[in-house]
C-alpha cells in the first residue's frame, strides 16, 4: 500500500468515526411562509437565483425582473420602472464582499449592476460563457441546478475565488492558475459533471451512492456521506455566488460544508413540502436564521426558526395558563398540576379542579418540595414525602390570592377582598397560622429582600419588616396597581403595573420609563432577568427584551435612549397575549430556560440561544420623488427652484418584527429641531423650500446600546436671479437711490408747502388780530354788563329789599296789635298780607342770591354751617302757607350734620323744593332727610301730593343733560341750573296722586 493510499484510508476512517460520534441537529420548530404572484407580493412565480448582498438585502432573479427583498417588502426592477427592454433573468454572479453583483437578462445585451442596494442598467454584451483550452471548448458552470443546459456530459470550467480554474469532464479533473497554466491533472471517470461543486476553493464530486471526492492543490481525497439512499430522492443545490451547497433527501435539507477537505452535513430543516414545490434555488441566511427556497412555479418560501416554543397539553384548542412554579432544573409545575418542560407536558399531579380564576393565580414550593396551592377558600399543602398524594388543609373564610415562601421557609398568604372581608396577610410557620396584617385593598404579589417583605397591591407598595413585624406604606405609590415585584441580580426592586408600565423602586424613590411606540408595555405583567444582563418583560402584546444597564442609565439621565426589542407570534408564540396578575408570573430555570404563561400555552425559550434580529447600521435613500417624477438618489440632490413636493423613500434591510424599527428624520433650517418618525412606508415628504442648502438627516436605532445609524443627504434649492445675493445688493442700491430721490422731492415739496403756509399764516394772523380786537371790545362790554348787573343787584338790595323788610315789620307789628286781634276778619286779612309780604321779601332775597351765585361761580364756604338750621329757616318761611294747606313739614336732617357746600345755592334749592312740595300737596305730609357717603350729600324731600307725570320727569332729567327750557315749573329749572353750577345732580321719582321724591346729590366737604 502506498503512502498516499494509506493517508486517504486513514482520513476516511476518521471521517466515518466522526459521523458515528456527531449528532446532527434539526430545527423542528420552524415557520414557513410562501410569497407568490397570486397574492400580489411578487410579480412572477419563478425564482431562479437568490443572493444576499453586502448590505443584507436579498436579491432574486425572476422572469419578470430583478427583485429586492428588505425583510418586509419586495421591490421589483423591470421594464415598467427602469430602462430595461427584457425582463427575463436567471443567474446572479459577482462578489458579495466587493459589493459588486451582476445579472444579464435573456438578451445578453443588458446588464443589471447591483451596488449600494441600488441597480444600474448598462447596455453591455455578456462575456463569452466558454473557454477554449487545448482546442476544446469548456462551458461556464453556473451552479446547481444549471439554468443553461441539461447535458451532463459536456466539459465545464469552474472558477475559484483565488483565480484558479478547474476544468472538468467525464474523464479527468485539471486545476490551472488564472493564466490557464496547469497546476495538477487527475484522471477521474464520472458520468455526470453536474455532481461537481466547489466549496472553500476545493472541488467536490458527490456520487449518487453518497461517496465523494475532493480535489484541491493539496491533492485528492475521498469519503462518504451516510445521508443518501438513492439517486431518485436526492438533489444538489449549489449557490455559486454565495458559496453555499445544499443537499435535499426526502424533504430533509442539509447544508454541505468543507472542513479541511472533509465533507460534512448539517441538517437545517425537514420541510414536508420540499419535494412537491419545484425548488430550484436555495439560500440560508445564517445570521438571521432564515432559509430561502426559490421555486420555478410557486414563488418564494421563507423558512424561519423561532427560538421560542409554546407548550400546550392539547394543540387543538387554546389553553390558558397563569401561575407556574419551577419544579426542577428543566421543568415547571402549573397551579393545575401539569409538569411541563420545553418540549411537552411530561406529567401531572391530580390537584382538585379549580373553580374560580383566583385558584389558578398562585402556587409555591417550600424547602421540602411540598407544593402549596389554593382551592375553595382553602390553602392546600401537597406533601412530597407522600408522592404528592396527601395534603394538609388550612381553612379560611375568604379566597387566598397570593402564596409566597420566604427565605426562612415561612409561607405567606394574602387573602382577597370580598363583600364581607377586608384583605389580610397570614403567615404559616411549622403548621401554625398567624394573622399579620389587615389592608384596605388586595395584595397581588409578595417578594423578599433580606429581612423585608415587599407587598404589591392595588393601591401601592408596602414594606413588612420581618424582625419588628411592622408594616410601612411607601409614599407616592398609592396610584400604582402593582401586578408583580422583581428583585434583580443587584438587589434593585422593579415593579410592573396595570396600565402604567413598569418602575424602578430605589432608595424610596420611584423611577418611571418611557414606553414603546404602541404603549404595549403599559400592560407589563412580569420581569425576568437572564444571565446576560437583559430583562424579559411579558405584556398583553408580546414579549419585550431590554438592557438592564440602559434602564439604570435612564434613571440617572433622562436623555438616555432606550431600545425595546419586541417578539410576537412570528417568533414562535401561539398568541401574543401573555398572562400576569399571578405568582409566580414567570420562571428562570436552572438550565437557563425562561418560562412565561400565556393565553395559549407556556412559552419556553433559552435566552442564550435567542439571537435578536437587531436593526442593521445600513440606511439607504431608495428613491426620491420630485413632483411625481423619480430622480436618482445621491449624496447631494439639486431640486428645482419652484418644486411643489419632494418625497424620500428609505430602504432598510431588516428581517425581524417591523415594530422594532425606529427610523426618524430631521431637516435643518426649517424651524424645527424635532426628529420626525417615518411612516410605515419609510417615507418623508417636504413641500416648497426657500432657496438654500439643507441637510436632511435620517437615523435608525440599531440595538440595545441605543446607538444610531445616520444617513445625511444634502439638498440644494437653487435661487432664481431675483433670489441671488447680487440681485439683493442691486435692489438695495436702487432702493437707496429711490429713497434719496424721494427725500429730495419731499424736501422741495416741503419748501413749497412752507411758502404757502407762510402766506396763509400771514393772512390768518391779520385776521386773528382783528378778531382779538373784537374780543377785547366784547370783553369790555361784558365787564360793563357785569358791572351794571352788580349795580342792579345792589339797587334791588337797597331800593326794594329794605322797603319790603320795613313793610313786613310794620304789618307784623300791626297784626300783633290788640285791637286787630279782636277783629277776626281784619286779623285774617292782615295775616294774609303779612305772609305775602314775607314771601315777596324772600323772593327778592333769593333772586339776589341767585344773581350773586352766577357772579361768584362754584365755591365752598369757608366755614361749616348746620344743614338742619338752614332747612329750618326755609320751613319757617312756609309755615303759615303749609298750615293754610293743612300740610305738615318735617325736618329729619341730623342736627349734628355740618356742611361746606355753597350756602346761597343750597338755600335757594331747599327753598324752591319746599315751595314746590307745598304747592303740589294738600292735607299731606312733607319730609326732608339726608344721608352722606364718600363725601357726597344726599338730600331728599318726600311728599304725598298729586305727583308728576312721566313726561315731566323725563323732561327734567333730560334738562340736566341738555338745559333747553320749556314752560314748566320755573322753580325746578332754577334748582337744576344751580345744581349744574355747583356740579350736583338730581333724581326725581314720582307717581300720579301718590307723591313725589326729589333727591339732590352734592359735595358737602
Amino acid at each position: 500500500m502506498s503512502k498516499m493510499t494509506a493517508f486517504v484510508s486513514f482520513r476516511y476512517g476518521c471521517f466515518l468515526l466522526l459521523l458515528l460520534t456527531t449528532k446532527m441537529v434539526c430545527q423542528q420548530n420552524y415557520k414557513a411562509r410562501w410569497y407568490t404572484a397570486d397574492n400580489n407580493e411578487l410579480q412572477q412565480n419563478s425564482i431562479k437565483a437568490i443572493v444576499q448582498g453586502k448590505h443584507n438585502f436579498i436579491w432574486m432573479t425572476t422572469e419578470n425582473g430583478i427583485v429586492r427583498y428588505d425583510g418586509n417588502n419586495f421591490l421589483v426592477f423591470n421594464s415598467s420602472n427602469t430602462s430595461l427592454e427584457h425582463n427575463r433573468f436567471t443567474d446572479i454572479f459577482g462578489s458579495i464582499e466587493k459589493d459588486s453583483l451582476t445579472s444579464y437578462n435573456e438578451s445578453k445585451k443588458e446588464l443589471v449592476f447591483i451596488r449600494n442596494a441600488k441597480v444600474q442598467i448598462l447596455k453591455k454584451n455578456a462575456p463569452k460563457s466558454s473557454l477554449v483550452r487545448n482546442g476544446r471548448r469548456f462551458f461556464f458552470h453556473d451552479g446547481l441546478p444549471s439554468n443553461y443546459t441539461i447535458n451532463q456530459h459536456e466539459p465545464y470550467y469552474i472558477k475559484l475565488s483565488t483565480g484558479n480554474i478547474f476544468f472538468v469532464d467525464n474523464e479527468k479533473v485539471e486545476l490551472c492558475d488564472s493564466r490557464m497554466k496547469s497546476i495538477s491533472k487527475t484522471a477521474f471517470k464520472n458520468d455526470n459533471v453536474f455532481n461537481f461543486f466547489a466549496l472553500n476553493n476545493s472541488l467536490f464530486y458527490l456520487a449518487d451512492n453518497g461517496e465523494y471526492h475532493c480535489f484541491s492543490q493539496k491533492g485528492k481525497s475521498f469519503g462518504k456521506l451516510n445521508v443518501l439512499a438513492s439517486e431518485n430522492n436526492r438533489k444538489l443545490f449549489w449557490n455559486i455566488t454565495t458559496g453555499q451547497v445544499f443537499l435535499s433527501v426526502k424533504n430533509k435539507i442539509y447544508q454541505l460544508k468543507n472542513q479541511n477537505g472533509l465533507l460534512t452535513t448539517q441538517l437545517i430543516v425537514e420541510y414536508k413540502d420540499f419535494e412537491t414545490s419545484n425548488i430550484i434555488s436555495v439560500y440560508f441566511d445564517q445570521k438571521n436564521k432564515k432559509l430561502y427556497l426559490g421555486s420555478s412555479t410557486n414563488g418564494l418560501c421563507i423558512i424561519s426558526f423561532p427560538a421560542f416554543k409554546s407548550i400546550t397539553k392539547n394543540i387543538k384548542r387554546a389553553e390558558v395558563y397563569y401561575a407556574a412554579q419551577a419544579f426542577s432544573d428543566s421543568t415547571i409545575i402549573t397551579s393545575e398540576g401539569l409538569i411541563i418542560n420545553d418540549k411537552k407536558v411530561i406529567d401531572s399531579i391530580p390537584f382538585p379542579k379549580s373553580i374560580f380564576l383566583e385558584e389558578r393565580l398562585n402556587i409555591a414550593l417550600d424547602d421540602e418540595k411540598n407544593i402549596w396551592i389554593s382551592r375553595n377558600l382553602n390553602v392546600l399543602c401537597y406533601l412530597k414525602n407522600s408522592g404528592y398524594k396527601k395534603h394538609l388543609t388550612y381553612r379560611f373564610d375568604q379566597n387566598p390570592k397570593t402564596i409566597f415562601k420566604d427565605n426562612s421557609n415561612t409561607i405567606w398568604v394574602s387573602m382577597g377582598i370580598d363583600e364581607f372581608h377586608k384583605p389580610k396577610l397570614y403567615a404559616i410557620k411549622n403548621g401554625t397560622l398567624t394573622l399579620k396584617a389587615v389592608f384596605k385593598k388586595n395584595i397581588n404579589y409578595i417578594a423578599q429582600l433580606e429581612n423585608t417583605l415587599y407587598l404589591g397591591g392595588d393601591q401601592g407598595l408596602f414594606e413588612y419588616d420581618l424582625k419588628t413585624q411592622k408594616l410601612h406604606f411607601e409614599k407616592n405609590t398609592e396610584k400604582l396597581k402593582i401586578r408583580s415585584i422583581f428583585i434583580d441580580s443587584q438587589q434593585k426592586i422593579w415593579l410592573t403595573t396595570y396600565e402604567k408600565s413598569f418602575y424602578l423602586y430605589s432608595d424610596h424613590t420611584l423611577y418611571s420609563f418611557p414606553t414603546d411606540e404602541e404603549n404595549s408595555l403599559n400592560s407589563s405583567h412580569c420581569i425576568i432577568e437572564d444571565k446576560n444582563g437583559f430583562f424579559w418583560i411579558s405584556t398583553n402584546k408580546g414579549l419585550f427584551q431590554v438592557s438592564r444597564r440602559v434602564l439604570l442609565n435612564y434613571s440617572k439621565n433622562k436623555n438616555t435612549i432606550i431600545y425595546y426589542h419586541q417578539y410576537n407570534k412570528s417568533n414562535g408564540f401561539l398568541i401574543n397575549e401573555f398572562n400576569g396578575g399571578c405568582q409566580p408570573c414567570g420562571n428562570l430555570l436552572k438550565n437557563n430556560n425562561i418560562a412565561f404563561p400565556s393565553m395559549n400555552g407556556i412559552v419556553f425559550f433559552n435566552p442564550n440561544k435567542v439571537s435578536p434580529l437587531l436593526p442593521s447600521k445600513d440606511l439607504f435613500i431608495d428613491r426620491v420623488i420630485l413632483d411625481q417624477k423619480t430622480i436618482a438618489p445621491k449624496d447631494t440632490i439639486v431640486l428645482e427652484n419652484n418644486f411643489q413636493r419632494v418625497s424620500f423613500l428609505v430602504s432598510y434591510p431588516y428581517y425581524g418584527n417591523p415594530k422594532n424599527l425606529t427610523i426618524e428624520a430631521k431637516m435643518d433650517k426649517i424651524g424645527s429641531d424635532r426628529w420626525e418618525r417615518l411612516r410605515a412606508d419609510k417615507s418623508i415628504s417636504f413641500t416648497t423650500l426657500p432657496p438654500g442648502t439643507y441637510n436632511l438627516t435620517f437615523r435608525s436605532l440599531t440595538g440595545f446600546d441605543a446607538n444610531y445609524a445616520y444617513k445625511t443627504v444634502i439638498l440644494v434649492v437653487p435661487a432664481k436671479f431675483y433670489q441671488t445675493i447680487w440681485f439683493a445688493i442691486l435692489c438695495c442700491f436702487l432702493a437707496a437711490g429711490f429713497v434719496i430721490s424721494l427725500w429730495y422731492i419731499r424736501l422741495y415739496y416741503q419748501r413749497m408747502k412752507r411758502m404757502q403756509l407762510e402766506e396763509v399764516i400771514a393772512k390768518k394772523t391779520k385776521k386773528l388780530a382783528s378778531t382779538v380786537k373784537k374780543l377785547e371790545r366784547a370783553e369790555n362790554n361784558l365787564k360793563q354788563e357785569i358791572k351794571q348787573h352788580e349795580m342792579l343787584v345792589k339797587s334791588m338790595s337797597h331800593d326794594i329789599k329794605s322797603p319790603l323788610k320795613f313793610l313786613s315789620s310794620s304789618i307784623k307789628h300791626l297784626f300783633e296789635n290788640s285791637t286787630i286781634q279782636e277783629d277776626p276778619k281784619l286779623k285774617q286779612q292782615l295775616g294774609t298780607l303779612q305772609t305775602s309780604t314775607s314771601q315777596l321779601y324772600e323772593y327778592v332775597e333769593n333772586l339776589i342770591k341767585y344773581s350773586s351765585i352766577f357772579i361768584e361761580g362754584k365755591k365752598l364756604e369757608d366755614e361749616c354751617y348746620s344743614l338742619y338750621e338752614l332747612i329750618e329757616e326755609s320751613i319757617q318761611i312756609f309755615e303759615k302757607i303749609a298750615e293754610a294747606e293743612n300740610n305738615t313739614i318735617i325736618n329729619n336732617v341730623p342736627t349734628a350734620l355740618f356742611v361746606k357746600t355753597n350756602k346761597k345755592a343750597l338755600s335757594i334749592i331747599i327753598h324752591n323744593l319746599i315751595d314746590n312740595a307745598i304747592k303740589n300737596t294738600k292735607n299731606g305730609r312733607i319730609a326732608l332727610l339726608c344721608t352722606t357717603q364718600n363725601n357726597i350729600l344726599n338730600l331728599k324731600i318726600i311728599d304725598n301730593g298729586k305727583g308728576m307725570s312721566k313726561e315731566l320727569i323725563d323732561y327734567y332729567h333730560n334738562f340736566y343733560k341738555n338745559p333747553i327750557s320749556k314752560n314748566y315749573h320755573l322753580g325746578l329749572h332754577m334748582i337744576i341750573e344751580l345744581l349744574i353750577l355747583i356740579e350736583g345732580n338730581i333724581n326725581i321719582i314720582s307717581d300720579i296722586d301718590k307723591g313725589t321724591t326729589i333727591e339732590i346729590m352734592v359735595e358737602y366737604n
Side-chain angles (χ1 to χ4, degrees):
M1 181 183 295
S2 66
K3 292 182 179 181
M4 184 62 185
T5 305
F7 173 75
V8 171
S9 299
F10 173 76
R11 293 186 66 179
Y12 180 69
C14 292
F15 178 64
L16 289 178
L17 181 62
L18 178 65
L19 289 178
L20 292 175
T21 57
T22 303
K23 292 183 179 180
M24 300 297 178
V25 179
C26 174
Q27 294 275 7
Q28 295 298 334
N29 187 29
Y30 71 87
K31 287 182 175 290
R33 167 78 160 86
W34 279 95
Y35 300 86
T36 67
D38 300 334
N39 53 24
N40 295 322
E41 291 171 316
L42 293 174
Q43 292 289 326
Q44 203 269 338
N45 279 335
S46 179
I47 308 297
K48 300 294 185 65
I50 306 173
V51 175
Q52 187 169 27
K54 183 177 181 179
H55 301 290
N56 298 320
F57 289 100
I58 299 294
W59 296 90
M60 295 170 284
T61 57
T62 72
E63 293 185 359
N64 191 17
I66 299 286
V67 178
R68 191 192 71 187
Y69 178 59
D70 64 5
N72 290 285
N73 301 296
F74 295 91
L75 181 62
V76 180
F77 300 91
N78 57 22
S79 57
S80 66
N81 55 14
T82 68
S83 61
L84 284 170
E85 296 179 3
H86 301 280
N87 293 330
R88 297 171 66 93
F89 290 85
T90 53
D91 293 304
I92 298 177
F93 297 116
S95 172
I96 297 174
E97 292 76 15
K98 296 179 180 179
D99 192 20
S100 176
L101 298 176
T102 59
S103 180
Y104 279 94
N105 58 11
E106 64 178 358
S107 69
K108 300 300 179 182
K109 294 181 179 179
E110 292 180 297
L111 171 67
V112 173
F113 181 64
I114 302 171
R115 173 173 286 178
N116 287 327
K118 300 177 181 64
V119 299
Q120 183 180 0
I121 311 301
L122 303 176
K123 303 297 182 180
K124 183 179 180 180
N125 292 331
K128 294 181 179 180
S129 59
S130 62
L131 291 177
V132 177
R133 177 172 172 77
N134 298 329
R136 192 178 185 190
R137 183 178 299 277
F138 290 82
F139 293 97
F140 172 70
H141 202 313
D142 62 330
L144 297 174
S146 174
N147 290 306
Y148 289 138
T149 179
I150 58 172
N151 190 343
Q152 60 189 9
H153 302 294
E154 293 286 348
Y156 279 84
Y157 75 91
I158 299 169
K159 193 170 184 179
L160 306 179
S161 61
T162 59
N164 293 342
I165 304 173
F166 276 106
F167 293 90
V168 298
D169 56 27
N170 295 130
E171 301 292 335
K172 64 181 181 300
V173 173
E174 183 178 7
L175 176 63
C176 299
D177 60 16
S178 58
R179 297 181 180 179
M180 291 196 293
K181 182 180 179 181
S182 180
I183 298 175
S184 64
K185 184 184 296 185
T186 305
F188 183 72
K189 288 186 175 294
N190 63 86
D191 57 358
N192 188 351
V193 294
F194 291 121
N195 285 346
F196 283 101
F197 56 86
L199 269 177
N200 298 91
N201 293 315
S202 295
L203 183 66
F204 287 89
Y205 180 88
L206 181 62
D208 296 335
N209 60 2
E211 292 183 352
Y212 68 86
H213 298 264
C214 177
F215 303 89
S216 67
Q217 283 186 297
K218 297 180 181 179
K220 178 176 177 293
S221 61
F222 67 93
K224 186 173 183 179
L225 299 179
N226 61 352
V227 296
L228 297 181
S230 66
E231 179 183 0
N232 295 330
N233 58 19
R234 70 94 159 172
K235 189 174 182 181
L236 272 172
F237 298 88
W238 176 23
N239 193 327
I240 196 169
T241 306
T242 64
Q244 292 181 339
V245 180
F246 303 91
L247 177 67
S248 68
V249 180
K250 292 183 178 180
N251 290 327
K252 293 181 180 179
I253 306 172
Y254 298 87
Q255 183 174 8
L256 303 182
K257 294 185 178 181
N258 177 5
Q259 296 184 353
N260 297 321
L262 297 178
L263 192 63
T264 62
T265 59
Q266 178 182 350
L267 181 58
I268 299 177
V269 70
E270 184 176 357
Y271 178 47
K272 62 179 181 178
D273 297 327
F274 185 87
E275 290 188 350
T276 59
S277 299
N278 299 323
I279 304 300
I280 58 175
S281 56
V282 181
Y283 172 70
F284 183 52
D285 182 357
Q286 183 72 36
K287 177 182 177 182
N288 295 309
K289 294 293 187 295
K290 292 185 182 294
L291 180 66
Y292 296 83
L293 306 177
S295 171
S296 60
T297 56
N298 300 340
L300 175 69
C301 178
I302 301 178
I303 299 177
S304 57
F305 305 97
F308 301 84
K309 190 172 184 181
S310 296
I311 307 299
T312 59
K313 186 177 181 180
N314 186 350
I315 62 174
K316 295 183 179 180
R317 61 182 178 88
E319 295 181 359
V320 181
Y321 289 90
Y322 286 94
Q325 174 69 50
F327 196 57
S328 70
D329 293 353
S330 60
T331 62
I332 62 170
I333 181 169
T334 69
S335 56
E336 294 185 312
L338 297 179
I339 302 173
I340 307 174
N341 65 11
D342 60 355
K343 294 181 175 57
K344 61 181 180 179
V345 177
I346 60 175
D347 202 353
S348 65
I349 297 175
F351 292 156
K353 186 176 181 180
S354 60
I355 300 175
F356 303 105
L357 174 63
E358 287 80 1
E359 297 171 352
R360 304 172 64 185
L361 300 181
N362 51 66
I363 186 172
L365 195 70
D366 63 23
D367 292 346
E368 288 77 32
K369 303 298 181 183
N370 302 319
I371 302 173
W372 296 75
I373 62 172
S374 67
R375 291 290 189 275
N376 194 24
L377 305 183
N378 300 322
V379 171
L380 309 180
C381 176
Y382 278 81
L383 303 175
K384 171 71 164 38
N385 56 20
S386 69
Y388 300 114
K389 295 181 180 179
K390 297 180 180 180
H391 66 270
L392 302 175
T393 302
Y394 297 87
R395 302 187 182 280
F396 298 90
D397 55 1
Q398 59 193 114
N399 204 16
K401 190 167 183 63
T402 300
I403 302 175
F404 172 74
K405 180 198 75 71
D406 69 9
N407 296 338
S408 64
N409 204 32
T410 299
I411 300 298
W412 296 84
V413 182
S414 71
M415 313 306 295
I417 192 172
D418 60 29
E419 185 178 357
F420 307 102
H421 303 92
K422 291 183 178 181
K424 301 180 184 67
L425 179 67
Y426 288 91
I428 303 175
K429 182 70 173 179
N430 298 325
T432 302
L433 181 66
T434 306
L435 176 63
K436 295 295 185 180
V438 179
F439 301 89
K440 293 181 179 180
K441 294 291 183 179
N442 282 334
I443 296 300
N444 303 321
Y445 210 92
I446 304 175
Q448 182 179 5
L449 179 58
E450 297 177 348
N451 293 317
T452 302
L453 288 183
Y454 289 90
L455 313 174
D458 287 345
Q459 283 190 345
L461 181 68
F462 294 85
E463 292 183 6
Y464 183 82
D465 193 309
L466 293 172
K467 289 184 177 180
T468 63
Q469 297 190 8
K470 290 184 178 180
L471 190 68
H472 172 69
F473 178 73
E474 288 301 330
K475 296 180 180 179
N476 302 322
T477 66
E478 59 274 359
K479 294 184 180 180
L480 299 183
K481 187 175 182 180
I482 298 174
R483 294 177 67 78
S484 72
I485 303 172
F486 175 70
I487 300 175
D488 66 19
S489 57
Q490 295 185 12
Q491 309 299 300
K492 299 286 186 182
I493 300 172
W494 302 80
L495 310 175
T496 65
T497 68
Y498 198 74
E499 297 179 348
K500 292 188 178 181
S501 192
F502 63 96
Y503 293 83
L504 167 65
Y505 177 73
S506 178
D507 297 327
H508 302 284
T509 303
L510 275 176
Y511 299 93
S512 62
F513 299 90
T515 185
D516 60 298
E517 182 71 17
E518 296 185 348
N519 297 317
S520 300
L521 281 166
N522 282 352
S523 61
S524 298
H525 296 319
C526 191
I527 298 176
I528 297 293
E529 181 184 10
D530 64 23
K531 295 181 180 179
N532 302 315
F534 289 100
F535 281 172
W536 298 83
I537 307 174
S538 60
T539 72
N540 283 340
K541 293 185 179 180
L543 183 66
F544 287 82
Q545 182 184 7
V546 62
S547 169
R548 176 187 175 277
R549 176 180 56 82
V550 171
L551 292 177
L552 291 177
N553 289 342
Y554 181 88
S555 69
K556 300 172 184 176
N557 179 11
K558 298 298 183 183
N559 293 324
T560 302
I561 303 299
I562 300 176
Y563 173 77
Y564 296 107
H565 191 81
Q566 183 180 11
Y567 301 89
N568 57 17
K569 287 178 64 176
S570 65
N571 299 107
F573 313 151
L574 296 178
I575 193 171
N576 285 333
E577 185 173 353
F578 286 78
N579 269 334
C582 54
Q583 184 166 7
C585 57
N587 292 276
L588 174 63
L589 305 180
K590 290 185 178 180
N591 68 347
N592 291 326
N593 274 350
I594 292 177
F596 283 112
S598 77
M599 291 295 288
N600 191 6
I602 298 287
V603 176
F604 281 88
F605 65 97
N606 187 334
N608 297 330
K609 296 180 180 179
V610 175
S611 298
L613 299 181
L614 300 177
S616 68
K617 296 182 180 180
D618 292 327
L619 194 66
F620 300 93
I621 307 299
D622 204 27
R623 283 178 293 164
V624 180
I625 301 176
L626 181 63
D627 293 338
Q628 300 181 349
K629 295 180 181 179
T630 301
I631 62 175
K634 300 176 183 179
D635 292 338
T636 300
I637 299 175
V638 179
L639 305 176
E640 297 177 1
N641 179 273
N642 58 347
F643 79 92
Q644 298 298 316
R645 187 178 187 86
V646 61
S647 300
F648 297 85
L649 283 77
V650 176
S651 58
Y652 195 89
Y654 182 64
Y655 300 92
N657 183 357
K659 294 180 181 179
N660 292 324
L661 284 180
T662 303
I663 304 176
E664 300 170 314
K666 182 174 70 172
M667 175 90 81
D668 65 352
K669 298 182 182 180
I670 61 173
S672 175
D673 290 332
R674 185 175 62 86
W675 288 94
E676 180 180 350
R677 186 154 185 166
L678 268 61
R679 301 187 294 267
D681 59 356
K682 301 186 186 70
S683 69
I684 189 171
S685 300
F686 299 95
T687 52
T688 54
L689 295 172
T693 301
Y694 303 85
N695 290 325
L696 175 59
T697 304
F698 297 87
R699 71 177 186 181
S700 171
L701 202 57
T702 60
F704 294 107
D705 290 334
N707 293 322
Y708 283 100
Y710 291 90
K711 174 70 176 179
T712 300
V713 178
I714 299 174
L715 304 180
V716 178
V717 180
K720 291 188 175 181
F721 76 93
Y722 54 81
Q723 295 172 322
T724 60
I725 185 65
W726 298 111
F727 183 81
I729 293 173
L730 177 61
C731 288
C732 289
F733 279 113
L734 292 176
F738 180 71
V739 169
I740 294 171
S741 300
L742 283 179
W743 184 78
Y744 276 109
I745 293 172
R746 181 68 176 173
L747 184 61
Y748 174 77
Y749 174 78
Q750 290 295 330
R751 287 174 179 172
M752 297 300 295
K753 202 71 174 168
R754 187 182 65 184
M755 293 173 65
Q756 294 176 0
L757 186 59
E758 287 175 350
E759 293 179 1
V760 172
I761 290 173
K763 293 179 181 179
K764 294 290 184 182
T765 302
K766 185 176 181 180
K767 186 175 181 180
L768 183 60
S770 175
T771 303
V772 168
K773 289 180 179 180
K774 291 180 180 180
L775 288 175
E776 288 176 350
R777 288 196 296 268
E779 183 182 8
N780 293 330
N781 293 335
L782 183 59
K783 288 179 178 179
Q784 186 66 29
E785 289 178 4
I786 291 173
K787 188 174 181 181
Q788 293 174 356
H789 184 69
E790 289 176 349
M791 292 300 293
L792 177 61
V793 171
K794 290 178 180 178
S795 175
M796 288 176 64
S797 235
H798 182 267
D799 297 336
I800 299 176
K801 182 178 175 183
S802 296
L804 282 175
K805 185 174 183 182
F806 175 76
L807 179 61
S808 178
S809 297
S810 298
I811 294 172
K812 181 179 179 183
H813 179 73
L814 184 62
F815 179 77
E816 291 173 353
N817 187 277
S818 58
T819 304
I820 300 301
Q821 293 292 323
E822 291 176 358
D823 187 348
K825 187 176 181 180
L826 183 60
K827 176 182 177 180
Q828 181 181 2
Q829 292 175 351
L830 286 174
T832 303
L833 181 61
Q834 181 185 4
T835 301
S836 298
T837 306
S838 298
Q839 286 181 333
L840 181 59
Y841 176 79
E842 289 299 325
Y843 172 77
V844 173
E845 178 71 18
N846 286 339
L847 186 60
I848 294 169
K849 290 180 182 178
Y850 183 78
S851 299
S852 63
I853 287 171
F854 282 93
I855 295 171
E856 296 170 358
K858 175 191 173 184
K859 72 172 182 176
L860 295 177
E861 300 295 328
D862 295 333
E863 295 181 358
C864 294
Y865 59 90
S866 172
L867 180 61
Y868 177 84
E869 293 178 356
L870 184 65
I871 293 174
E872 279 297 316
E873 290 176 1
S874 295
I875 290 175
Q876 288 175 6
I877 296 171
F878 293 99
E879 185 175 7
K880 296 294 182 178
I881 300 174
E883 288 177 0
E885 298 293 339
N886 198 21
N887 290 329
T888 303
I889 303 175
I890 300 172
N891 183 2
N892 285 332
V893 174
T895 57
L897 178 62
F898 286 83
V899 297
K900 276 191 175 183
T901 303
N902 190 310
K903 188 174 181 180
K904 291 179 182 179
L906 191 58
S907 175
I908 297 172
I909 290 171
I910 292 171
H911 181 92
N912 281 278
L913 288 174
I914 296 174
D915 184 30
N916 287 341
I918 292 173
K919 290 177 181 178
N920 290 282
T921 305
K922 288 185 179 181
N923 302 318
R925 180 176 179 272
I926 301 168
L928 289 93
L929 62 155
C930 74
T931 59
T932 58
Q933 184 179 5
N934 297 331
N935 206 35
I936 298 297
L937 173 68
N938 193 317
L939 176 64
K940 292 183 181 179
I941 181 166
I942 305 171
D943 66 59
N944 54 357
K946 61 182 180 182
M948 300 171 63
S949 66
K950 185 177 184 301
E951 177 187 1
L952 193 59
I953 294 171
D954 292 340
Y955 164 72
Y956 285 119
H957 281 160
N958 292 329
F959 179 78
Y960 186 84
K961 299 176 183 177
N962 186 21
I964 300 175
S965 298
K966 292 184 180 180
N967 191 20
Y968 291 140
H969 299 288
L970 183 61
L972 276 175
H973 286 148
M974 185 182 297
I975 290 170
I976 294 173
E977 287 175 351
L978 289 173
L979 285 173
I980 293 173
L981 179 66
I982 64 175
E983 297 180 2
N985 207 341
I986 187 170
N987 186 33
I988 303 172
I989 301 172
S990 181
D991 290 327
I992 300 297
D993 296 330
K994 290 184 180 180
T996 302
T997 299
I998 299 178
E999 184 178 8
I1000 303 299
M1001 292 149 285
V1002 294
E1003 291 185 13
Y1004 72 93
N1005 191 9

